[in-house]
Amino acid sequence: MLAIQYKAAQSLDEAVTLLATTAGARALAGGHTLLLEPTRSQLGAATLVDLGKIQGLNDIGFTRTGALRIGAMTTIAALADNADIQRDLPALAEAASQVGDPQVRNWATLGGSLADNDPESDLTAVLLALDAQLHLQGPNGTRAVAADQFITGPRQTALTQGELITDVRIPIVGGGSAYEKFKHPATLYALCGVAAHVSLIDGKVGACRVAVTGATEYATRLTGVEAALAGQEPTAEAIAAASEAASGLAFRGDPFGSPEYRAHLTRVLVQRAVTRAVERAR
Amino acid sequence: MRAIGSSLPRGDAVGKVVGATPYSGDLSMPGMLHAVTLFARRPHARILALDLGEAGRVPGVVCILTAADVPHNRFGLNVPDQPVLCGPGDDEHASRVRFVGDKVAVVVAETVEAAERARALIRVEYEALPVVPNPVAARQTGAPVLHAAHPDNVLLHYRVRKGDTLAGFAQADVVVEGEYSVGGQEHAFLQPEAGLAWLDEEGRVAVACAGQWAHEEQEQIAHALRLPDERVRVIHPAIGGAFGGREDISVQIVLALAAQKTGRPVKMVWTREESIIGHHKRHPMTYRCRTGATRDGRLVAAEVELVSDCGAYASTSTKVLGNATIMAVGPYDIPHVSIDAYTVYTNNVPSGAFRGFGAPQSHFAAESQMNKLAAALGMDPVELRLKNALRDGSLQVTQAPMPAGVSMDHVIEQCAESIGWRRTAQGWQRPAAAQPDSPWLRRGIGFAAAFKNIGFSFGYREHCWATVEIHGGGDIDRVVVRCAGSDVGQGAHLAFQQIAAEALGIEAEKVEIVSADTATTPGSSGSASASRMTFMAGNAIRGAAEKALAMWRDEEDRPVIATYEFNPPATTPMDDMGRSTPNFTYGYVAEAVEAEIDTETGEVRVRRVVCADDVGRAVNPQQVTGQIEGAVVQAQGWATIENFVQRDGLVLTPHLSTYLIPTVRDIPDRVDSIIVEVPDPLGPFGARGMAEMPFIPFAPALTAALHDATGVWFDHLPLTPVRVLETLDEQA
Ligand SMILES: Cc1cc2nc3c(=O)[nH]c(=O)nc-3n(C[C@H](O)[C@H](O)[C@H](O)COP(=O)(O)OP(=O)(O)OC[C@H]3O[C@@H](n4cnc5c(N)ncnc54)[C@H](O)[C@@H]3O)c2cc1C
C-alpha cells in the first residue's frame, strides 16, 4: 500500500519550506512523471507538494532585456500554442507540439519535464540549443543556471534538495531555430531528437548551437557539429559534412533502435534541423 | 426494406462500448476459486522432478494440478501432440517441455494472490536440452528430435507436380527468381484468454470461455478428461476478438479439470504476457521461387519451395501448409508448376491459425514474383495479372478446375481503376504518385491480388447445423434461430439474424439468435474461421428457415421447428502429386497501396489503400467495410511494425510495449473499401466469405509501392525502419 500525503502550497516560499522540512517530500506539477512512479513502487510514503495553486508560475512574457520568460508551471500545450514562442522560438513550439499526445501536453509542465530530465525528453535538447537559463529557488535563495550546467547526467540535474525551478529564460537573439524528431514507436518520446539554432553573418554561420536527445544517455550539445558549421556557408554539402561530426558519442540502444541506428538518425536529423534553422535565419 | 444488404446496427455495440457486456473474464460465481498457470518459460527441457510441498502449504491453496492429474494428457486441434500439463512420469512425451508456453502446473486457490504465492514456491527440477531455434537447424542431421513420430522434425511435406516444369521453363523468355521471408504475428486480440468452469445443474463440466468453435473445444476437453462429449458443456459469452488465435485450446481443459477436481467454480484469466507466450502465432515462412513467362506475358512455369516454422506442436500447421501450397503461385493459371512445402517442428511458440491461414505468406512470395516479372518484362503489373488471372474452369495447381463464380479479373479491374490505373491502347498503365518536396521522401503505388478458400479444405467433411423456430399465430411474431457459430466480434450473429429475416421475409428485429452453447445448440457449426461463418451458417439458417416456413404454411401446429444441416460439395486430400479438389469455393480480392518512404530514416507511411473485395453479396455493408479496414490495418502491422522476435526459443517481445501493433497514428491515411458483388453460386443469397481476403494482398502491394518509389525490392518482412535502411543500402 502507498501512503501518500498531499499538500497544496499557496506560495513559492511555502513550497520551498515544505519541501525542505518534510521528509520524502516531492514537488507535484502535472504529475505525468510522478504519478507513474507508484506503479514502479518508487514513490513510497511521499508527501506531494502541489505547485498548482501558486500564482504567477505559468506566465509567459518578455523580460526588460528582451528574453522570453516562461513560468515553470506552463503546460506543454501552452508552449506549443503561444504566438511569441511560435514566432521567436519555433524550435520550442515544434518540440512542444510533438510531446506525447494532447492529454499529456495539457497536464505536463515545462518545469516537470526539465526536472525529470528523461533521456528521451524533447524539451531538454531544445533548451540546450536555445541557450536557456533556468531560474531556481531553494532553501538557500535563488540562482540562475544555464541549461548546459543544469543537465548533469541521465535523469540527473543541478537541482539540490528542496530546490524548485521557477522559470526559464530564453534570449531572443535573432537567427532561426528548428526541432526534428523521430518518435519512439512504443512511447512517442524521442528515439532521436535534434534541436538547432543558427544565426547568419553575411550569409555564413555565425553563432550556432545544436543538441541531441533520445539517442544519447542524456541530452547533449553536439559541439563538434557546431564547430564544423561555424564560419561556413551553410550549403547542403557543408551541413552534410558537419553532421558527420555527430560521432564519438555514447549512443543508446534498445529493441527498436541499435546504437548504430541512433547514430545514423542523429546525423540525418542534424542535417534536417540545421537546414530548416538556416532557412529561418535568412 | 430487405433484411440483406442493409447496414443494420449491431445489437451488441452499446453494451460493449460502455463496458456493460460481460466477457468470460468478467464472470463470477458464488464459492468461486481462482487458478493460475505455471508456465515452463524455457524452450526445451526435461522435467526431472516437481516439488509441490511448500506451495501446497500456502494458506488458501485448494489443489495443484500436474501432469499426473490429467486422465489423457494429450490434446491438439488436428494432431493430439501437446501435453495438457508437462511433468515427470511414465509418459516420456509429457515429461519434456518444448516451448516457453508449455504448462507445468495449475494452482487453484481461494484468491488469486494465494495462487500466485504458491506458484512461486513450486520447485521444478529441469534438465536443459539443446534448443532447436528454427527450421534450418531442425532439419540438420543430429538435430534434437522434438516428436518421436517425426525423427527428421518435418511434420509434413506436400509435393505438387502439375505439367512439366522443365518443358515449361524451356518456353519462358523471362525467368525471375526470388527468396522471401515473413515473420510471425501475434493476434493481439483485446481480451486475453480467460474462462470460468463449474459443474452445472445436470452435473456436466461447464466451461465458459472465449473460443471459436464450441463443439471442437467440447470434444478436446472430453478427450483429455476421458469423458463422453455430452458430459462437457462449452459456452461462449461475448468474445473479445479471435483472428484464429482462439482456435487452439488455452485455459479450457485445465479449468474443466480443476472444476471436476474441486467441485467448485474455478476461474482463470491470463495476463497479456501469458497470452503472448501461451498461444500460437502466424507461421513464419521462407520461400524460394522461380517464375517463367513468355515475352508477351503468359505465365508458363513456376517452381516454389516453402518452409514453415511449425513451432513446438502441430496446432493447425498441416492445414495452413495445405493452403500455403495451393496458393504458392497466386491466383494465376500456370500450366507447369512444381511445389515442395514443408512444415517443421522447432522449439518456438507453436504456429497456427491466423486470419489468412497461409495465404498471406504465399501471396507475398507469389505476388512479389509477379511484380518483379512485370518489371522484367517491361509490362504493367495489372496488365500482366489480367493476362493470367484464374477464370471459371482454370485448372488449379492441384489440377482440379476452379469452382464456378471466379471473379479475379473483375476485382483486379475495379481496384486498378479506383486508384487511377488507366486503360490505354497499349494496355493498362500505372498512375504516377505525386512526389513531395523533401528529396528524401519518395512515394509510389503498388498492386497485388489474391484468392483464398472459404471453408475447410482437403476432404474435411464440412457441415453446419441450424434450427429455426417460428412463433406466432397467423403472422410470424418471433423467430428463434439456434446455431452454434461464434460471434468473435466480427458481427456474425447480426449476419445470422439478417439472413434468417431475409429467408422468412420478416424484419430482422423479430429474430433472436441462440448460440455458442453446446447444451442449447447441439449441432456443430464448425469454427468461426476460414472466412466460412456467414457462408456456412448462412446456408444452414437459410435451409432451416425455408423448411420451417413451408411447415408454417402447411401445418397448424405452432410454433414450428425445423432443423437443417448444410453440406457443401465434397473436397479431397492431395495425393503424392498434389492432385485434389481442395476447396468448394474461393473469395477474390485486389489491393492497391500508395506509400511514402523516408529513404534516410527508413520509415514507411501508408497514405492510401484501395481494396476491392468480392463478397458475393454484402449481407451488411457496414460490417463488410469494418472487416476490410480491420484486415488492412492488421496486415499493415504484420508487414511493417509487428516484429515477433524469438531467439533460441525465447520470446523477446512478450509485451505490447515491445511487440507493437498499429495505433491510430500508424494506420493508413485513407482506406477505400470497394464492395464487389459477383454472387457465389453456392453462397447464401450469393454471399461469399470475406473476412480474411483484405489481409492477403496488402504486403506485396506495399512492397510494390516501395519499389515504385525507390527502385528497390523489399523481400523480407516486417519492414522495420532498420531493415528498410539495410535493404536500401544493399541495393544502392
Ligand atoms: C504518455 C506520456 C507520453 C509522454 N511523451 C513525451 C514526449 O513525447 N516527449 C517528452 O519530452 N516527454 C514526454 N512525456 C513526459 C512528460 O513530458 C513529463 O512526464 C512531464 O513533462 C513532466 O511534467 P509534470 O508537470 O507532469 O511533472 P510531475 O510528474 O508533476 O513531476 C516530475 C518531476 O519533476 C519534479 N518537479 C515538477 N515541477 C518542478 C519544478 N517546478 N521544480 C523542480 N522540480 C519539479 C517533481 O517533483 C518530479 O520529480 C510523456 C509522458 C507521458 C505520461
Side-chain angles (χ1 to χ4, degrees):
Chain A
M1 278 294 284
L2 296 165
I4 298 177
Q5 303 277 321
Y6 171 87
K7 292 200 170 127
Q10 302 300 324
S11 68
L12 261 177
D13 289 343
E14 186 192 351
V16 167
T17 311
L18 276 170
L19 287 168
T21 56
T22 318
R26 305 276 299 274
L28 172 67
H32 268 56
T33 297
L34 207 52
L35 299 187
L36 293 182
E37 288 180 12
T39 58
R40 307 184 209 142
S41 317
Q42 288 169 5
L43 210 48
T47 297
L48 299 184
V49 178
D50 191 352
L51 310 181
K53 301 243 161 32
I54 303 172
Q55 295 293 313
L57 273 188
N58 54 2
D59 294 344
I60 304 178
F62 290 95
T63 65
R64 279 181 294 175
T65 54
L68 197 65
R69 179 189 173 284
I70 309 170
M73 287 296 285
T74 305
T75 65
I76 291 176
L79 296 178
D81 291 345
N82 183 275
D84 293 327
I85 295 177
Q86 287 172 354
R87 185 188 60 243
D88 293 333
L89 305 168
L92 180 56
E94 281 170 359
S97 71
Q98 295 185 66
V99 168
D101 52 46
Q103 284 126 307
V104 172
R105 294 196 288 273
N106 284 333
W107 275 97
T109 65
L110 174 64
S113 179
L114 297 177
D116 184 32
N117 188 24
D118 188 286
E120 300 189 335
S121 147
D122 293 298
L123 303 184
T124 44
V126 177
L127 294 201
L128 286 171
L130 296 179
D131 198 12
Q133 294 274 322
L134 285 78
H135 284 241
L136 314 181
Q137 180 173 337
N140 302 323
T142 61
R143 61 183 178 131
V145 180
D148 285 308
Q149 273 80 53
F150 180 79
I151 295 168
T152 56
R155 289 192 176 276
Q156 290 160 21
T157 67
L159 283 172
T160 58
Q161 178 60 40
E163 204 171 27
L164 288 172
I165 305 167
T166 56
D167 60 79
V168 172
R169 295 179 199 191
I170 305 175
I172 308 296
V173 292
S177 70
Y179 181 68
E180 286 284 341
K181 176 177 186 180
F182 185 99
K183 289 185 180 174
H184 194 291
T187 64
L188 307 190
Y189 279 66
L191 187 100
C192 180
V194 173
H197 180 269
V198 178
S199 50
L200 299 176
I201 302 170
D202 298 333
K204 298 220 165 92
V205 174
C208 151
R209 294 170 67 99
V210 184
V212 65
T213 185
T216 46
E217 290 304 325
Y218 54 97
T220 317
R221 292 261 303 281
L222 296 172
T223 47
V225 174
E226 295 171 2
L229 282 169
Q232 298 286 319
E233 202 177 316
T235 59
E237 295 70 38
I239 294 171
S243 74
E244 295 297 325
S247 55
L249 300 159
F251 288 99
R252 308 165 65 221
D254 71 8
F256 299 100
S258 60
E260 294 74 24
Y261 183 59
R262 279 181 163 84
H264 169 80
L265 281 182
T266 303
R267 290 190 292 273
V268 169
L269 299 189
V270 162
Q271 291 181 47
R272 293 184 187 176
V274 170
T275 303
R276 286 202 300 117
V278 166
E279 278 164 16
R280 285 178 173 151
R282 286 194 205 280
Chain B
M1 190 175 76
R2 305 198 58 171
I4 278 200
S6 45
S7 292
L8 297 184
R10 290 266 294 264
D12 57 343
V14 171
K16 287 178 173 174
V17 171
V18 303
T21 305
Y23 290 83
S24 42
D26 301 320
L27 303 177
S28 291
M29 278 188 173
M32 182 175 80
L33 297 168
H34 298 266
V36 300
T37 305
L38 175 67
F39 289 92
R41 294 182 183 275
R42 64 202 68 223
H44 198 196
R46 189 179 311 284
I47 302 184
L48 301 177
L50 211 51
D51 176 2
L52 308 175
E54 222 183 318
R57 287 191 291 275
V58 171
V61 170
V62 176
C63 74
I64 302 177
L65 301 175
T66 65
D69 297 299
V70 190
H72 191 161
N73 199 5
R74 298 277 173 102
F75 77 101
L77 188 48
N78 298 134
V79 185
D81 65 348
Q82 187 162 355
V84 176
L85 292 170
C86 297
D90 316 334
D91 185 359
E92 123 71 38
H93 188 76
S95 72
R96 263 199 287 165
V97 301
R98 293 176 182 77
F99 84 107
V100 287
D102 257 327
K103 302 161 201 76
V104 178
V106 171
V107 185
V108 185
E110 299 289 347
T111 63
V112 176
E113 293 71 29
E116 285 176 346
R117 211 166 322 126
R119 175 175 60 184
L121 294 172
I122 296 175
R123 306 260 172 275
V124 190
E125 196 185 323
Y126 290 104
E127 176 200 348
L129 298 172
V131 174
V132 181
N134 56 50
V136 174
R139 291 169 77 186
Q140 268 155 16
T141 41
V145 177
L146 297 179
H147 293 264
H150 300 278
D152 56 358
N153 288 325
V154 175
L155 170 60
L156 186 63
H157 168 201
Y158 274 129
R159 182 170 172 274
V160 168
R161 299 291 181 268
K162 175 191 181 192
D164 174 356
T165 43
L166 226 56
F169 278 111
Q171 296 165 26
D173 299 310
V174 175
V175 175
V176 294
E177 301 194 7
E179 293 192 11
Y180 306 91
S181 64
V182 297
Q185 187 178 21
E186 155 63 23
H187 304 81
F189 29 60
L190 277 175
Q191 176 207 6
E193 289 79 352
L196 174 67
W198 70 97
L199 303 179
D200 78 358
E201 58 288 349
E202 297 192 16
R204 289 176 292 217
V205 189
V207 182
C209 59
Q212 292 181 234
W213 185 356
H215 287 83
E216 169 67 24
E217 290 156 42
Q218 176 192 33
E219 208 176 293
Q220 288 193 55
I221 296 168
H223 174 263
L225 269 57
R226 284 198 208 280
L227 289 174
D229 286 358
E230 62 275 10
R231 303 305 301 153
V232 175
R233 175 178 178 187
V234 172
I235 304 164
H236 290 166
I239 298 167
F243 311 113
R246 301 193 199 278
E247 287 244 285
D248 291 0
I249 291 287
S250 57
V251 298
Q252 293 93 328
I253 295 175
V254 289
L255 275 177
L257 200 58
Q260 202 191 33
K261 196 112 185 151
T262 61
R264 291 170 63 181
V266 184
K267 173 167 159 175
M268 177 149 67
V269 180
W270 280 3
T271 64
R272 180 62 68 180
E273 191 211 8
E274 291 173 333
S275 174
I276 291 181
I277 65 164
H279 76 248
H280 62 272
K281 302 289 167 279
R282 185 185 296 287
H283 287 79
M285 294 198 195
T286 55
Y287 288 80
R288 286 221 316 257
C289 307
R290 280 178 78 212
T291 313
T294 57
R295 199 161 292 112
D296 61 353
R298 226 165 14 86
L299 295 176
V300 285
E303 215 170 69
V304 181
E305 187 194 84
L306 70 95
V307 179
S308 90
D309 183 344
C310 163
Y313 298 102
S315 178
T316 41
S317 285
T318 55
K319 308 288 177 193
V320 171
L321 190 74
N323 269 12
T325 303
I326 62 168
M327 293 160 204
V329 300
Y332 306 106
D333 191 344
I334 310 180
H336 307 286
V337 177
S338 156
I339 302 167
D340 284 282
Y342 304 86
T343 186
V344 184
Y345 281 124
T346 66
N347 288 121
N348 287 328
V349 176
S351 302
F354 198 143
R355 197 180 212 162
F357 214 73
Q361 294 95 322
S362 279
H363 279 87
F364 178 62
E367 288 296 86
S368 295
Q369 286 288 100
M370 287 297 278
N371 287 325
K372 289 180 185 176
L373 200 54
L377 289 162
M379 186 177 277
D380 182 87
V382 166
E383 183 74 24
L384 177 66
R385 285 184 167 86
L386 285 171
K387 272 199 160 78
N388 294 284
L390 289 169
R391 290 180 165 69
D392 271 343
S394 299
L395 287 192
Q396 307 178 49
V397 297
T398 63
Q399 305 185 39
M402 288 295 288
V406 181
S407 58
M408 196 67 261
D409 51 351
H410 190 64
V411 168
I412 291 173
E413 288 178 3
Q414 289 236 355
C415 180
E417 271 176 351
S418 302
I419 201 162
W421 246 268
R422 287 181 303 123
R423 291 176 202 249
T424 70
Q426 293 78 46
W428 288 83
Q429 220 170 55
R430 186 202 305 253
Q435 297 299 331
D437 290 339
S438 306
W440 55 84
L441 295 179
R442 306 295 308 158
R443 290 183 191 158
I445 295 174
F447 196 92
F451 76 134
K452 161 86 184 39
N453 60 296
I454 293 158
F456 298 147
S457 319
F458 302 118
Y460 181 86
R461 202 184 72 74
E462 254 295 22
H463 63 287
C464 183
W465 175 99
T467 288
V468 168
E469 296 172 17
I470 309 182
H471 298 258
D475 292 333
I476 297 175
D477 292 340
R478 191 167 72 84
V479 169
V480 179
V481 173
R482 291 177 198 278
C483 179
S486 298
D487 192 325
V488 294
Q490 84 281 45
H493 289 173
L494 179 54
F496 294 1
Q497 218 179 326
Q498 289 182 248
I499 287 170
E502 180 83 14
L504 296 170
I506 57 171
E507 304 86 71
E509 301 82 77
K510 288 192 176 160
V511 180
E512 179 197 335
I513 305 292
V514 174
S515 168
D517 176 346
T518 57
T520 58
T521 51
S524 172
S525 291
S527 179
S529 67
S531 297
R532 64 184 285 290
M533 202 76 263
T534 299
F535 183 95
M536 293 296 298
N539 271 317
I541 290 168
R542 183 189 186 175
E546 285 172 353
K547 216 163 127 184
L549 197 58
M551 290 161 68
W552 177 265
R553 289 189 184 123
D554 298 345
E555 295 170 19
E556 296 289 301
D557 290 351
R558 296 288 183 261
V560 297
I561 303 178
T563 294
Y564 184 84
E565 190 184 89
F566 173 66
N567 296 288
T571 60
T572 60
M574 286 193 262
D575 69 9
D576 61 352
M577 300 282 277
R579 281 175 298 229
S580 78
T581 300
N583 294 298
F584 50 86
T585 190
Y586 293 94
Y588 305 92
V589 62
E591 239 157 76
V593 171
E594 183 186 338
E596 180 177 280
I597 179 171
D598 185 323
T599 56
E600 292 181 347
T601 65
E603 274 175 303
V604 169
R605 163 133 216 103
V606 179
R607 291 168 47 79
R608 183 178 175 200
V609 178
V610 174
C611 175
D613 188 359
D614 179 8
V615 305
R617 182 76 187 279
V619 175
N620 183 316
Q622 177 182 268
Q623 298 210 94
V624 167
T625 305
Q627 288 297 315
I628 293 176
E629 291 174 356
V632 162
V633 168
Q634 201 167 37
Q636 185 197 357
W638 179 58
T640 58
I641 63 174
E642 296 191 30
N643 193 13
F644 189 71
V645 186
Q646 298 185 86
R647 193 171 300 148
D648 293 326
L650 297 175
V651 176
L652 303 189
T653 50
H655 303 108
L656 293 178
S657 56
T658 45
Y659 182 82
L660 302 183
I661 60 173
T663 68
V664 69
R665 75 176 272 277
D666 305 296
I667 63 174
D669 297 342
R670 178 173 159 195
V671 177
D672 298 334
S673 302
I674 298 170
I675 299 175
V676 180
E677 294 185 300
V678 178
D680 187 319
L682 297 174
F685 302 104
R688 296 176 193 270
M690 60 74 56
E692 294 168 291
M693 287 52 176
F695 188 110
I696 303 167
F698 178 86
L702 172 65
T703 54
L706 298 181
H707 180 263
D708 186 38
T710 62
V712 168
W713 294 112
F714 295 84
D715 296 336
H716 305 280
L717 304 181
L719 296 171
T720 59
V722 171
R723 172 169 275 156
V724 167
L725 276 190
E726 280 168 3
T727 310
L728 286 172
D729 287 349
E730 278 161 23
Q731 294 181 44

Coordinates of all heavy atoms in Angstrom, one line a residue, chain B residues 339-377:
Chain B
I339 N 5.8 -27.6 -56.7 CA 5.8 -27.0 -55.3 C 6.3 -28.1 -54.3 O 5.7 -29.2 -54.3 CB 4.5 -26.4 -54.9 CG1 3.9 -25.4 -55.9 CG2 4.5 -25.8 -53.5 CD1 2.5 -25.0 -55.7
D340 N 7.2 -27.7 -53.5 CA 7.5 -28.5 -52.3 C 7.3 -27.7 -51.1 O 7.9 -26.6 -51.0 CB 8.9 -29.0 -52.4 CG 9.0 -30.2 -53.4 OD1 8.6 -31.3 -53.0 OD2 9.5 -29.9 -54.5
A341 N 6.5 -28.1 -50.2 CA 6.2 -27.4 -49.0 C 6.4 -28.2 -47.7 O 6.1 -29.4 -47.7 CB 4.7 -26.9 -49.0
Y342 N 7.1 -27.6 -46.8 CA 7.4 -28.3 -45.5 C 7.0 -27.6 -44.3 O 7.1 -26.3 -44.3 CB 8.9 -28.5 -45.4 CG 9.6 -29.2 -46.6 CD1 9.9 -28.5 -47.7 CD2 9.8 -30.6 -46.6 CE1 10.5 -29.1 -48.8 CE2 10.4 -31.2 -47.7 CZ 10.7 -30.4 -48.8 OH 11.3 -31.1 -49.9
T343 N 6.5 -28.3 -43.3 CA 6.3 -27.6 -42.0 C 7.1 -28.4 -41.0 O 7.1 -29.6 -40.9 CB 4.8 -27.4 -41.6 OG1 4.8 -26.6 -40.4 CG2 4.1 -28.7 -41.4
V344 N 7.9 -27.6 -40.2 CA 9.0 -28.2 -39.4 C 8.9 -27.9 -38.0 O 8.7 -26.7 -37.6 CB 10.4 -27.7 -40.0 CG1 11.5 -28.4 -39.3 CG2 10.5 -28.0 -41.5
Y345 N 9.0 -28.9 -37.1 CA 8.9 -28.6 -35.7 C 10.2 -27.9 -35.2 O 11.3 -28.2 -35.6 CB 8.9 -30.0 -34.9 CG 7.6 -30.7 -34.8 CD1 7.4 -32.0 -35.3 CD2 6.5 -30.0 -34.2 CE1 6.2 -32.7 -35.1 CE2 5.3 -30.7 -34.1 CZ 5.1 -32.0 -34.6 OH 4.0 -32.7 -34.4
T346 N 10.0 -26.9 -34.3 CA 11.1 -26.2 -33.6 C 10.7 -26.0 -32.2 O 9.6 -26.4 -31.8 CB 11.4 -24.9 -34.3 OG1 10.2 -24.0 -34.0 CG2 11.6 -24.9 -35.8
N347 N 11.6 -25.4 -31.4 CA 11.2 -25.0 -30.0 C 10.6 -23.6 -29.9 O 10.7 -23.0 -28.8 CB 12.4 -25.2 -29.1 CG 12.8 -26.6 -28.9 OD1 13.9 -27.0 -29.2 ND2 11.9 -27.4 -28.4
N348 N 10.1 -23.1 -31.0 CA 9.4 -21.8 -30.9 C 7.9 -22.0 -30.5 O 7.4 -23.1 -30.5 CB 9.4 -21.1 -32.3 CG 10.8 -20.6 -32.6 OD1 11.6 -20.2 -31.7 ND2 11.2 -20.7 -33.9
V349 N 7.3 -20.9 -30.1 CA 5.9 -20.9 -29.8 C 5.2 -21.5 -31.0 O 5.5 -21.2 -32.2 CB 5.4 -19.4 -29.6 CG1 3.9 -19.4 -29.4 CG2 6.1 -18.8 -28.4
P350 N 4.2 -22.4 -30.8 CA 3.6 -23.1 -32.0 C 3.0 -22.0 -32.9 O 2.6 -21.0 -32.5 CB 2.5 -23.9 -31.3 CG 2.9 -24.1 -29.9 CD 3.7 -23.0 -29.5
S351 N 3.0 -22.4 -34.2 CA 2.4 -21.6 -35.2 C 1.0 -22.2 -35.5 O 0.9 -23.4 -35.4 CB 3.2 -21.5 -36.4 OG 4.5 -21.0 -36.2
G352 N 0.0 -21.4 -35.8 CA -1.3 -21.9 -36.1 C -2.2 -21.0 -36.8 O -1.7 -20.2 -37.7
A353 N -3.4 -21.0 -36.5 CA -4.4 -20.3 -37.3 C -4.2 -18.8 -37.1 O -4.0 -18.3 -35.9 CB -5.8 -20.7 -36.9
F354 N -4.3 -18.0 -38.1 CA -4.3 -16.6 -38.1 C -4.9 -16.1 -39.4 O -4.3 -16.4 -40.4 CB -2.9 -16.0 -37.8 CG -2.9 -14.6 -37.3 CD1 -2.0 -14.2 -36.3 CD2 -3.8 -13.6 -37.7 CE1 -2.0 -12.9 -35.9 CE2 -3.8 -12.3 -37.3 CZ -2.9 -11.9 -36.3
R355 N -5.9 -15.3 -39.3 CA -6.5 -14.6 -40.5 C -5.7 -14.7 -41.7 O -4.6 -14.2 -41.8 CB -6.7 -13.1 -40.1 CG -7.6 -12.4 -41.0 CD -7.7 -11.0 -40.6 NE -9.0 -10.4 -40.9 CZ -9.5 -9.3 -40.3 NH1 -8.8 -8.6 -39.4 NH2 -10.7 -8.8 -40.6
G356 N -6.2 -15.5 -42.7 CA -5.5 -15.7 -43.9 C -4.9 -17.1 -44.0 O -4.8 -17.7 -45.1
F357 N -4.5 -17.7 -42.9 CA -4.2 -19.1 -42.8 C -3.2 -19.6 -43.9 O -3.5 -20.6 -44.6 CB -5.5 -19.9 -42.9 CG -5.7 -21.1 -42.1 CD1 -5.8 -21.1 -40.7 CD2 -5.7 -22.4 -42.7 CE1 -5.9 -22.2 -40.0 CE2 -5.8 -23.5 -42.0 CZ -5.9 -23.5 -40.6
G358 N -2.1 -19.0 -44.0 CA -1.1 -19.5 -45.0 C -1.2 -18.7 -46.3 O -0.2 -18.6 -47.0
A359 N -2.3 -18.1 -46.6 CA -2.5 -17.3 -47.8 C -1.7 -16.0 -47.8 O -1.1 -15.7 -48.9 CB -4.0 -17.0 -48.0
P360 N -1.6 -15.3 -46.7 CA -0.8 -14.0 -46.8 C 0.7 -14.3 -47.1 O 1.3 -13.6 -47.9 CB -0.9 -13.4 -45.4 CG -2.2 -14.0 -44.9 CD -2.3 -15.4 -45.4
Q361 N 1.2 -15.4 -46.5 CA 2.6 -15.7 -46.7 C 2.9 -16.1 -48.1 O 3.8 -15.5 -48.8 CB 3.0 -16.9 -45.8 CG 3.0 -16.6 -44.3 CD 1.7 -17.0 -43.6 OE1 0.6 -16.9 -44.2 NE2 1.8 -17.5 -42.4
S362 N 2.0 -17.0 -48.7 CA 2.3 -17.4 -50.0 C 2.0 -16.3 -51.0 O 2.7 -16.2 -52.0 CB 1.4 -18.6 -50.3 OG 2.0 -19.8 -49.8
H363 N 1.0 -15.5 -50.8 CA 0.8 -14.4 -51.7 C 1.9 -13.4 -51.7 O 2.1 -12.7 -52.7 CB -0.6 -13.8 -51.5 CG -1.7 -14.5 -52.1 ND1 -2.4 -15.5 -51.4 CD2 -2.3 -14.5 -53.3 CE1 -3.3 -16.1 -52.2 NE2 -3.3 -15.4 -53.3
F364 N 2.5 -13.2 -50.5 CA 3.6 -12.3 -50.5 C 4.7 -12.7 -51.5 O 5.2 -11.9 -52.3 CB 4.2 -12.1 -49.1 CG 5.4 -11.2 -49.0 CD1 5.2 -9.8 -49.4 CD2 6.6 -11.6 -48.7 CE1 6.3 -9.0 -49.4 CE2 7.7 -10.8 -48.7 CZ 7.6 -9.4 -49.0
A365 N 5.0 -14.0 -51.4 CA 6.0 -14.5 -52.4 C 5.5 -14.5 -53.8 O 6.2 -14.0 -54.7 CB 6.4 -15.9 -52.0
A366 N 4.3 -15.0 -54.0 CA 3.8 -15.1 -55.4 C 3.6 -13.8 -56.0 O 3.9 -13.6 -57.2 CB 2.5 -15.9 -55.4
E367 N 3.0 -12.8 -55.3 CA 2.7 -11.5 -55.9 C 4.0 -10.7 -56.0 O 4.1 -9.9 -56.9 CB 1.7 -10.8 -55.0 CG 0.3 -11.4 -55.2 CD -0.2 -11.2 -56.6 OE1 0.1 -12.1 -57.4 OE2 -0.9 -10.3 -57.0
S368 N 5.0 -10.9 -55.2 CA 6.2 -10.2 -55.4 C 6.9 -10.7 -56.7 O 7.4 -10.0 -57.4 CB 7.2 -10.5 -54.2 OG 6.7 -9.9 -53.0
Q369 N 6.8 -12.0 -56.9 CA 7.3 -12.6 -58.1 C 6.6 -12.0 -59.3 O 7.2 -11.6 -60.3 CB 7.0 -14.1 -58.2 CG 8.0 -14.9 -57.3 CD 9.4 -15.0 -57.8 OE1 10.3 -14.2 -57.4 NE2 9.6 -15.8 -58.8
M370 N 5.3 -11.8 -59.2 CA 4.5 -11.2 -60.4 C 5.0 -9.7 -60.6 O 5.1 -9.3 -61.7 CB 3.0 -11.2 -60.1 CG 2.4 -12.6 -60.2 SD 2.5 -13.3 -61.8 CE 1.1 -12.5 -62.6
N371 N 5.2 -9.0 -59.5 CA 5.6 -7.6 -59.7 C 7.0 -7.5 -60.3 O 7.3 -6.7 -61.1 CB 5.6 -6.9 -58.3 CG 4.1 -6.6 -57.9 OD1 3.3 -6.4 -58.7 ND2 3.9 -6.7 -56.6
K372 N 7.9 -8.5 -59.9 CA 9.2 -8.5 -60.5 C 9.2 -8.9 -62.0 O 9.9 -8.4 -62.8 CB 10.1 -9.5 -59.7 CG 10.5 -8.9 -58.3 CD 11.4 -9.9 -57.6 CE 11.6 -9.4 -56.2 NZ 12.4 -10.4 -55.4
L373 N 8.3 -9.9 -62.2 CA 8.1 -10.3 -63.6 C 7.6 -9.2 -64.5 O 8.1 -9.0 -65.6 CB 7.2 -11.5 -63.6 CG 7.2 -12.4 -64.8 CD1 8.6 -13.0 -65.0 CD2 6.2 -13.6 -64.6
A374 N 6.7 -8.4 -64.0 CA 6.2 -7.3 -64.8 C 7.3 -6.3 -65.1 O 7.4 -5.9 -66.2 CB 5.0 -6.6 -64.0
A375 N 8.1 -6.1 -64.0 CA 9.2 -5.1 -64.3 C 10.2 -5.7 -65.3 O 10.7 -5.0 -66.2 CB 9.9 -4.9 -62.9
A376 N 10.5 -7.0 -65.2 CA 11.5 -7.6 -66.1 C 10.9 -7.7 -67.5 O 11.7 -7.6 -68.5 CB 11.8 -9.1 -65.6
L377 N 9.6 -7.8 -67.7 CA 9.0 -7.8 -69.0 C 8.8 -6.4 -69.5 O 8.4 -6.3 -70.7 CB 7.7 -8.5 -68.9 CG 7.7 -10.1 -68.7 CD1 6.3 -10.5 -68.3 CD2 8.1 -10.8 -70.0

